Amino acid sequence: PGVKIFHSFSRIHGDLERDYNAFKIDPAFFSQGPGNYRDVAQNRRNDVTFIPRLASFDVKQFLSFIQADGYEPLTVEAIVFLYADEDDARSVAAQVTTDDKSAKILGDILSGGPFRPGQVFSLCDQLNINRTEDNDAFIQPILAGAEDRYMAQFGTGYWADHWDYYMDLINAYLGVFPDGEEALMYDTELRYFFSTATVRPRSEKYVLDFTFDGTSKHVIQLDSTYFDEGKATEQEEFRDSNTGLIGIEASWQRTKAGKPFMSSPIAKLFLLSSLKFAMR
């Protein structure tokens, strides 16, 4: 409890000379570039074995990205941190700065919205914030008091699902914490990722077309997703009037009452398996 996880210096996989492996890494401290869901999930399956303090972090993160329709976003991004209480943010800012002006500026940053560790260090340099010299003594209290939020994007398409990777993540955790199964799978509640892309029904996305050599026909899938105006309208509720940007809470499924739609990991996996069998 209280441990905050942030993976740094990672990026999309692949050889640099291949154009389709284009990637970007933010020019900031503790930078992290986005990666494909499959690659990030498979690369982190044994994290808890080497660093037990991670506990169930990876399980919760990747299972949270499962949508209510059973699909997953293509791109996983670095998590962000935020302060829901402005007073807490300003209290921490005063703790890790050396003068009132710096405390005021840092308090504005921390209470102003989501942030990543590297951004805080960069802004301190740009805005001449006088902070404690020791980097750990500076950033640790900030992250300890903040909430973390998983981040992902639809990108250029959906993944179907990665059942084997889910099992690997869960089994790796249970290999280190065998007595944590009930608490993780039944007592934990996870969100559902929400994207404006909706998958078309089979009757619309499957067509019969000629093969490459033109000698026969085969079934192919075209335009399998479309921009869902209804979902976009829902996300508009989270647009910030000051920045004009849509907030990160827009990326998570909501109930009709406007609250986050959540369920236990075992319920998410049951829903996913039911959907996949129904769609066979």
Side-chain angles (χ1 to χ4, degrees), residues 37 56-67 150 163 166-167 169-171 173-174 180-192 261-274:
Y37 185 105
S56 58
F57 175 86
D58 288 324
V59 178
K60 294 176 181 177
Q61 179 181 25
F62 289 104
L63 291 190
S64 291
F65 290 144
I66 300 174
Q67 297 186 160
Y150 309 131
W163 188 270
Y166 304 150
M167 296 300 104
L169 287 165
I170 293 170
N171 288 329
Y173 169 76
L174 295 179
E181 180 175 7
E182 182 175 349
L184 171 63
M185 300 304 296
Y186 294 89
D187 298 336
T188 301
E189 287 199 324
L190 302 178
R191 297 187 176 199
Y192 285 74
F261 176 54
M262 306 179 73
S263 68
S264 65
I266 194 69
K268 293 200 74 168
L269 292 176
F270 180 79
L271 173 62
L272 178 61
S273 62
S274 300

Side-chain angles (χ1 to χ4, degrees), residues 9-22:
F9 309 114
S10 68
R11 62 167 180 83
I12 191 171
H13 77 101
D15 303 326
L16 303 184
E17 65 271 18
R18 298 183 182 181
D19 291 341
Y20 61 82
N21 281 324

Side-chain angles (χ1 to χ4, degrees), residues 148-224:
D148 53 9
R149 290 286 188 272
Y150 309 131
M151 297 288 288
Q153 288 190 45
F154 166 72
T156 57
Y158 279 129
W159 292 107
D161 68 271
H162 293 94
W163 188 270
D164 287 346
Y165 292 168
Y166 304 150
M167 296 300 104
D168 288 344
L169 287 165
I170 293 170
N171 288 329
Y173 169 76
L174 295 179
V176 180
F177 301 99
D179 56 344
E181 180 175 7
E182 182 175 349
L184 171 63
M185 300 304 296
Y186 294 89
D187 298 336
T188 301
E189 287 199 324
L190 302 178
R191 297 187 176 199
Y192 285 74
F193 192 74
F194 184 75
S195 170
T196 54
T198 295
V199 179
R200 299 181 188 276
R202 288 185 174 184
S203 60
E204 296 180 16
K205 65 182 179 179
Y206 286 108
V207 298
L208 189 64
D209 198 7
F210 283 102
T211 57
F212 180 75
D213 57 11
T215 59
S216 60
K217 289 187 174 183
H218 63 165
V219 176
I220 59 175
Q221 184 178 188
L222 298 174
D223 295 325
S224 58

Side-chain angles (χ1 to χ4, degrees), residues 27-72:
F29 298 94
F30 303 107
S31 183
Q32 183 187 44
N36 288 349
Y37 185 105
R38 181 194 67 182
D39 306 320
V40 181
Q42 70 180 3
N43 291 340
R44 294 182 184 173
R45 284 177 291 177
N46 293 318
D47 278 7
V48 69
T49 304
F50 297 103
I51 309 177
R53 292 187 70 196
L54 267 67
S56 58
F57 175 86
D58 288 324
V59 178
K60 294 176 181 177
Q61 179 181 25
F62 289 104
L63 291 190
S64 291
F65 290 144
I66 300 174
Q67 297 186 160
D69 60 6
Y71 293 97
E72 302 162 352

Side-chain angles (χ1 to χ4, degrees), residues 54-103:
L54 267 67
S56 58
F57 175 86
D58 288 324
V59 178
K60 294 176 181 177
Q61 179 181 25
F62 289 104
L63 291 190
S64 291
F65 290 144
I66 300 174
Q67 297 186 160
D69 60 6
Y71 293 97
E72 302 162 352
L74 175 70
T75 303
V76 174
E77 297 193 337
I79 66 171
V80 297
F81 299 89
L82 58 86
Y83 277 87
D85 190 309
E86 181 178 348
D87 291 338
D88 290 341
R90 297 196 178 280
S91 175
V92 172
Q95 177 184 343
V96 297
T97 52
T98 58
D99 61 76
D100 292 342
K101 181 180 178 181
S102 295

Side-chain angles (χ1 to χ4, degrees), residues 125-147:
D125 288 347
Q126 295 170 16
L127 301 176
N128 296 316
I129 296 175
N130 296 315
R131 61 179 180 84
T132 52
E133 294 185 5
D134 185 273
N135 289 339
D136 281 342
F138 170 70
I139 198 64
Q140 293 290 359
I142 293 176
L143 300 186
E147 302 175 22

